DNA sequence: TTCTTTCCTGACTTTAATAGTCGGGAATAT
DNA sequence: ATATTCCCGACTATTAAAGTCAGGAAAGAA
């Protein structure tokens, strides 16, 4: 509970890695995987999906790899998480924040609380850009592996 | 993501039901299950576990059932969620909020963000008592099924 | 052209967590 | 006694997450 799925964490770390190499040409999946300890084949799938978000793009071939479309300051953690967790089916019960229909027809006592929690989380996600994360890592004062 | 597990929701709804019947004697599992649309045998397991938290207690036999130990105003959603999701193993990586050890030795750029989100969520959970939930249901102005 | 390198694609397998069930035993009151 | 209820441990089922794989397509280098 409240533990972001690995896939989400991998996606964020991959983009973080791209952000650190902004304007240095495409970064290979294999490099990202190595730098961030992410299973290679899994990362292939994840990055490929992320292209649809418009956050990253890729180039094939010898000098190929992935790269950020916008500068790190203009991409937030919220953008990524929202894209990865966008709910495709409209059949979800918003009130219960559950995946099946709500037995209380959307009038359960808990709904407003779940919604507030979700909003509180995304407030933080939205105000955290990848540039912030880079800065934060610097401030922590430990030798980046770059 | 950010969707509380069914077990958590069932636990909260069960306690909510107990709160509504405070000082009316024990409430049978079967009654709670019916009122809150929770699978009976599953609810047995959940309520039995919750006894260890000190939030609820039970009585067996003909007039048996479950009941709240403290008044609804003194029990928060946070109390319940914290108990159900207390992490038993100490081997968790706090920085990454993941269940396996952190590949960055606790110095990853995301850790402070995950922690802030968790705190924001529990701030809301902690300040929501079951009395609040009852009041909230009244305010919404729909006929309670009681 | 051909070769190498890289991303691309869809289907597949594995793993782990959640969700839910079951049979019988132990209190408690009538 | 006996009906009713919670209790307990083990069990199964379902689902989502995590990860893998084989081969194909683009891009550039030789």
């Amino acid at each position: 509970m409240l533990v972001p799925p690995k896939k989400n964490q991998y996606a964020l770390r991959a983009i973080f890695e791209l952000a650190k190499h902004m304007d240095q040409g495409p970064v290979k999946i294999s490099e990202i995987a190595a730098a961030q300890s992410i299973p290679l084949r899994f990362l292939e799938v994840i990055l490929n999906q992320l292209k649809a978000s418009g956050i990253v793009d890729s180039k094939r071939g010898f000098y190929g790899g992935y790269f950020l479309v916008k500068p790190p300051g203009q991409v937030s953690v919220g953008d990524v998480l929202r894209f990865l967790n966008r709910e495709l089916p409209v059949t979800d019960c918003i009130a219960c924040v559950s995946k099946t229909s709500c037995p209380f027809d959307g009038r359960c006592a808990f709904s407003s609380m779940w919604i507030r929690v979700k909003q509180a989380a995304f407030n933080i996600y939205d105000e955290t850009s990848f540039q912030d994360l880079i800065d934060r890592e610097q401030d922590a004062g430990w030798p980046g592996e770059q």
Side-chain angles (χ1 to χ4, degrees), chain A residues 55-76:
Chain A
I55 295 170
V56 304
D57 203 355
S58 67
K59 205 184 150 190
R60 294 201 244 199
F62 199 94
Y63 290 112
Y66 274 85
F67 50 90
L68 273 187
V69 170
K70 290 179 286 188
Q74 289 179 35
V75 185
S76 75

Side-chain angles (χ1 to χ4, degrees), chain A residues 2-66:
Chain A
L2 282 182
V3 179
K6 279 257 164 70
K7 186 180 177 184
N8 287 199
Q9 296 193 47
Y10 290 162
L12 293 174
R13 300 218 306 253
I15 293 177
F16 177 66
E17 193 64 24
L18 293 184
K20 289 205 285 189
H21 294 268
M22 190 71 186
D23 299 322
Q24 296 174 23
V27 185
K28 299 190 220 318
I29 296 180
S30 56
E31 288 172 357
I32 303 170
Q36 294 287 332
S37 302
I38 303 171
L40 183 85
R41 305 306 278 272
F42 196 20
L43 182 57
E44 279 188 35
V45 175
I46 296 170
L47 280 173
N48 191 42
Q49 278 182 27
L50 282 173
K51 285 178 62 175
S53 72
I55 295 170
V56 304
D57 203 355
S58 67
K59 205 184 150 190
R60 294 201 244 199
F62 199 94
Y63 290 112
Y66 274 85

Side-chain angles (χ1 to χ4, degrees), chain A residues 63-109:
Chain A
Y63 290 112
Y66 274 85
F67 50 90
L68 273 187
V69 170
K70 290 179 286 188
Q74 289 179 35
V75 185
S76 75
V77 170
D79 295 333
V80 179
L81 294 183
R82 234 185 284 276
F83 174 78
L84 287 175
N85 302 286
R86 87 215 111 122
E87 44 227 28
L88 314 153
V90 202
T91 54
D92 286 22
C93 166
I94 303 159
C96 280
V97 200
S98 89
K99 292 189 177 168
T100 57
S101 70
C102 172
F104 304 104
D105 230 351
R107 290 166 315 191
C108 84

